[in-house]
């Protein structure tokens, strides 16, 4: 059984197939057809809905791709769709802004854009162009050219009006808080089952008894098995209700990130600690995906083109793994064994990701190369961490790539060419030659093998230019000219 608010209506579902997405639930069970299916893969944003939750006694609103969100994730939340926005006999201010700015043409993508604008308005204190770009980057439109939609975003943020959601916020908090409980919940139908634990202890016992179960965190990748490959997930353990997995801490020597922390939360948390890491998370899919996707999930997925593993490898991250009550630590570079194969044992899960703090003698940078800047998968992802002594000699080099091998991997030969030498253009060129010994990349529809190897070399050169200040001068001259 799960319970949630559909706008302000309490919904109790005793039997739902846990493979059912929120998109199909809305259209088939609730007969709400405003939310559209465009891609069923989280790329187009036509299915965008808003999920409300309580955090520190206040309502927090986040967008989500309902095509990749299973119904189990609705437990204890408020689900808001485009049908809920009407304010009496008037349009909501974001809808009115779309009308006045001519932000809709064919109209198919419009509900998704409206929900992204609604959530942007809820989370912003005024108009910021970059903030609006991030909020809308996960919504695609073939008609408008986007300018009128951006105009609508500006109008909605500059002319905020008190709406029914603001007026009912205190009541919503009270109702959602009443739905919280520490009991294990289950959702079953059609021979498929989903367990919804609330604590790490419950998770440990469930996974011990059901080691074959799929762990569902954000589900932004796992859901593709259902929506794109038409598979069925017979047994799932949903992790979203386990607050212990979302705890993040920063102390004097290290950063500890809970495996269940969302990528958006990591983006906010690391903005000051590791700015380059945070900057790359801006290009991790869309805001809808970052709201749901988790750091632990991106690692456990074992994809060779995941964006966070190369950065974590370069940062010398360690994983804290749990099996039952037993904890063990494993360096991330020993976690990836082969293509989508990891060192996780039966009944074991990622509890925390531990990153040593970057010191003043270390320089970390990361770059992503993809066919389009926003909402795209990497062709090559590169992360660099080098430490130099008072003489300017490289004492430590950690260089990792995604998209260059069957797993995210360090460039061992390249690193050896760098250690003990000054960080000069000549040193970098020798290290570039060594990259061909480290990797024999594949050709696919994203990039050829030759292109990938050349890009890897160029990104290493870019790192040197960044450290020497040449890259900054190049960027300045580009805008001046």
């Amino acid at each position: 059984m799960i319970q949630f608010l559909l706008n302000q209506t309490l919904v109790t579902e005793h039997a739902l197939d846990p493979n059912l997405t929120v998109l199909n639930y809305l259209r088939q069970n609730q007969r709400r057809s405003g939310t559209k299916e465009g891609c069923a893969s989280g790329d187009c944003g036509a299915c965008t809905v808003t999920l409300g939750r309580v955090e520190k006694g206040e309502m927090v609103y986040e967008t989500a791709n309902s095509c990749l969100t299973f119904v189990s994730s609705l437990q204890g939340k408020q689900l808001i769709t485009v049908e809920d926005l009407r304010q009496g006999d008037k349009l909501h201010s974001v809808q009115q802004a779309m009308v006045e700015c001519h932000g809709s043409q064919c109209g198919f993508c419009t509900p998704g854009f409206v929900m992204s604008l609604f959530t942007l308005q809820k989370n912003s204190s005024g108009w910021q162009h970059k903030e609006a770009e991030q909020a809308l980057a996960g919504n695609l439109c073939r008609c408008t050219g986007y300018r009128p939609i951006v105009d609508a975003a500006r109008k909605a943020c500059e002319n905020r009006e008190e709406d029914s959601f603001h007026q009912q916020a205190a009541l919503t908090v009270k109702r959602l808080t009443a739905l919280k409980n520490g009991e294990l919940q289950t959702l079953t139908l059609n021979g498929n089952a989903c367990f919804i634990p609330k604590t790490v202890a419950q998770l440990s016992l469930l996974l011990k008894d059901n080691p074959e179960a799929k762990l569902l965190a954000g589900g932004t990748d796992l859901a593709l098995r259902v929506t794109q490959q038409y598979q069925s997930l017979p047994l799932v353990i949903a992790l979203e209700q386990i607050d212990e997995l979302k705890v993040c801490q920063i102390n004097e020597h290290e950063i500890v990130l809970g495996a269940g922390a969302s990528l958006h939360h990591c983006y906010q948390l690391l903005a000051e600690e590791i700015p380059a890491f945070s900057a790359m998370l801006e290009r991790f899919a869309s805001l809808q995906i970052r709201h749901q996707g988790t750091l632990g999930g991106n690692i456990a997925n074992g994809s060779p083109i995941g964006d966070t593993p190369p950065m974590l490898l370069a940062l010398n991250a360690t994983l804290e793994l749990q099996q039952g009550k037993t904890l063990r630590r494993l360096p991330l570079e020993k976690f990836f064994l082969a293509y989508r194969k990891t060192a996780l044992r039966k009944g074991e899960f990622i509890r925390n990701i531990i990153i040593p703090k970057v010191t003043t003698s270390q320089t970390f940078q990361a770059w992503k190369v993809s066919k389009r800047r926003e909402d795209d998968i990497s062709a090559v992802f590169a992360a660099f961490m080098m430490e130099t002594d008072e003489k300017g000699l490289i004492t430590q080099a950690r260089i990792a790539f995604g998209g260059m091998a069957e797993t995210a991997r360090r460039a061992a030969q390249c690193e050896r060419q760098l250690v003990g030498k000054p960080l000069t253009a000549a040193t970098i060129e020798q290290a570039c030659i060594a990259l061909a010994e480290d990797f024999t990349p594949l050709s696919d529809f994203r990039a050829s093998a030759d292109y990938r190897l050349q890009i890897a070399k160029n990104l290493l050169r870019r790192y040197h230019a960044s450290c020497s200040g040449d890259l900054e001068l190049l960027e300045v001259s580009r805008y001046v000219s």
Side-chain angles (χ1 to χ4, degrees), residues 326-343:
T326 303
L327 295 172
R328 69 174 175 127
R329 288 196 176 193
L330 184 72
L332 181 61
E333 60 190 282
K334 294 184 178 181
F335 183 73
F336 301 113
L337 303 179
Y339 178 72
R340 291 191 182 273
K341 183 179 180 181
T342 71

Side-chain angles (χ1 to χ4, degrees), residues 405-443:
E406 71 280 2
T407 68
R409 203 171 73 192
R410 287 176 62 186
Q413 296 298 327
C414 177
E415 292 173 355
R416 290 191 187 98
Q417 284 293 327
L418 292 165
V419 175
K421 299 175 183 177
L423 184 56
T424 63
T427 300
I428 291 297
E429 289 309 310
Q430 290 299 311
C432 284
I433 295 173
L435 280 175
E437 301 176 40
D438 284 311
F439 301 106
T440 53
L442 297 175
S443 294

Side-chain angles (χ1 to χ4, degrees), residues 61-111:
Y61 297 97
E62 295 178 336
T63 49
N65 292 120
S66 61
C67 72
L68 295 182
T69 306
F70 290 126
V71 287
S72 59
S73 69
L74 295 178
Q75 168 59 34
K77 295 182 181 177
Q78 181 186 32
L79 172 60
I80 304 170
T81 71
V82 69
E83 289 91 346
D84 298 317
L85 298 193
R86 185 173 64 180
Q87 303 294 295
D89 59 353
K90 295 181 180 180
L91 294 175
H92 191 279
S93 59
V94 298
Q95 295 172 306
Q96 189 63 40
M98 285 284 280
V99 172
E100 294 176 3
C101 296
H102 307 285
S104 177
Q105 290 192 31
C106 83
F108 187 86
C109 68
T110 302

Side-chain angles (χ1 to χ4, degrees), residues 18 25 35 60 91-92 102 105 142 182 208 214 249 254 277 283 295 302 307 310 347 352 374 381 395 462:
Y25 172 78
T35 308
V60 174
L91 294 175
H92 191 279
H102 307 285
Q105 290 192 31
R142 290 176 177 266
K208 181 180 179 181
K214 295 294 183 184
Q249 298 176 328
E254 59 188 21
F277 196 120
R283 295 188 57 196
L295 183 59
D307 286 352
N352 290 303
E374 303 292 348
F381 195 107
T395 58
R462 183 183 178 97

Side-chain angles (χ1 to χ4, degrees), residues 254-260 295-302 308-309 312-313 315-322 326-337 341-345 348-356 398:
E254 59 188 21
I255 301 167
V256 181
L257 303 174
L295 183 59
N298 194 236
I299 297 168
N301 188 29
T308 64
L312 294 169
L313 284 170
L315 289 164
N316 197 24
T318 298
L319 301 181
E320 184 178 65
L321 308 176
Q322 183 166 344
T326 303
L327 295 172
R328 69 174 175 127
R329 288 196 176 193
L330 184 72
L332 181 61
E333 60 190 282
K334 294 184 178 181
F335 183 73
F336 301 113
L337 303 179
K341 183 179 180 181
T342 71
L344 280 174
R345 299 167 180 168
E348 192 172 48
F349 58 93
I350 303 174
R351 176 72 183 262
N352 290 303
I353 299 94
I354 302 159
I355 307 171
R398 297 183 65 89

Side-chain angles (χ1 to χ4, degrees), residues 155-195:
K155 188 178 184 69
C157 289
E158 289 181 341
N159 303 289
R160 298 177 65 184
E161 296 179 4
E162 185 176 287
D163 60 16
S164 59
F165 301 96
H166 176 77
Q167 295 166 354
Q168 297 172 335
L171 176 61
T172 306
V173 168
K174 182 178 180 180
R175 298 185 72 191
L176 291 181
T177 302
L179 297 182
K180 288 186 70 70
N181 65 77
E183 297 178 1
L184 174 68
Q185 293 174 271
T186 58
L187 198 60
T188 59
L189 193 67
N190 299 328
N192 300 319
C194 175
F195 293 109

